[in-house]
Amino acid sequence: MLKLKGIKKSFEGKTVLDGIDLEVKRGEVVAIIGPSGTGKSTLLRCINLLEMPDEGTVTIGELEVTAPQIKRKEQYDLRGQTSMVFQQYNLFANKTALENITEPLTRVKHLKKEEARRQGREILKVVGLTEKEKEYPSRMSGGQQQRVGIGRALATHPKVMLLDEPTSSLDPELVGEVLDVVRTLASKHITMLITTHEMDFARSVADRVLFLADGRIQEEGTPKQIFDFPKTERLKIFLSHYHS
Ligand SMILES: Nc1ncnc2c1ncn2[C@@H]1O[C@H](COP(=O)(O)OP(=O)(O)OP(=O)(O)O)[C@@H](O)[C@H]1O
Ligand SMILES: [Mg+2]
């Protein structure tokens, strides 16, 4: 479903991604862990070309683009296959839960209002917020807001969802509801890449975990392999900073 080959990215002469190769299967959930500033967000942003890689190939489904000579249309098409969920929800404060979800349907997909609302209600069901349809973000909990954010990302039927620290603004007791939603999406075969600093979350959500450091994937494996049987010294030291 998603394939990266030789993705490189530097900022002001400083190499952040130094040749990332990755293949993710349809419906697979991949968690990306690693030290702060190591390029986890940059990697997600290079996949939807929010950030233009210096080099490398991104393939999503049938669509393959090679940086840096990517045409605007290719960029647009590729971005249409993905959607991103942010740490800070990024909801419209003056729109209800339902309106936040239907917004990309009317604006990007040009659906009629009634059809958008019908699909929006389906999505509210998936993220478990049917009863919050008319609620505004300021009157919802962080977990509920993040579920609206995930719902909005889901509305355009992306092949790949990119979630950048989706739980790090949440109180610990609200992480579980986001986890449940991610699990529901995985069961619907949505491919997901999730960056996180929460090792418990990574362990419970992911089929596969990548440890990113010094511009490369240093180690990868199942949550059990990564968290219980880390191989590299680099990963062992990283994990020793967490209590999980
Ligand atoms: N637009 C930019 N311009 C210049 N430098 C940038 C830009 N975006 C990211 N960087 C740098 O690239 C490096 C990687 O940043 P990135 O945000 O990808 O790290 P991260 O792994 O997501 O960190 P965190 O865990 O703190 O979220 C950092 O050194 C950052 O300062
Ligand atoms: Mg980040």
Side-chain angles (χ1 to χ4, degrees), residues 45-81:
R45 293 163 61 83
C46 281
I47 293 172
N48 68 0
L49 306 178
L50 223 51
E51 206 72 75
M52 184 58 73
D54 300 330
E55 279 177 49
T57 301
V58 179
T59 311
I60 296 178
E62 306 286 287
L63 208 62
E64 177 173 302
V65 302
T66 298
Q69 263 104 31
I70 298 177
K71 296 191 191 81
R72 189 169 284 270
K73 175 166 187 323
E74 293 177 325
Q75 189 170 348
Y76 186 82
D77 289 347
L78 193 91
R79 199 164 295 162
Q81 307 280 343

Side-chain angles (χ1 to χ4, degrees), residues 98 101-103 105-106 111-122:
L98 181 62
I101 291 172
T102 56
E103 195 270 347
L105 292 175
T106 48
L111 293 187
K112 294 229 168 66
K113 213 171 162 189
E114 257 330 291
E115 176 58 18
R117 290 172 75 81
R118 194 190 64 74
Q119 292 190 17
R121 290 198 179 98
E122 287 296 313

Side-chain angles (χ1 to χ4, degrees), residues 9-12 14-17 34-43 45 51 87 164-165 195-197 212:
K9 182 72 186 176
S10 302
F11 291 110
E12 292 139 13
K14 184 174 160 282
T15 302
V16 174
L17 302 175
S36 191
T38 209
K40 300 182 296 297
S41 300
T42 303
L43 180 60
R45 293 163 61 83
E51 206 72 75
Q87 175 178 349
D164 198 4
E165 304 205 20
T195 71
T196 185
H197 281 281
L212 190 69

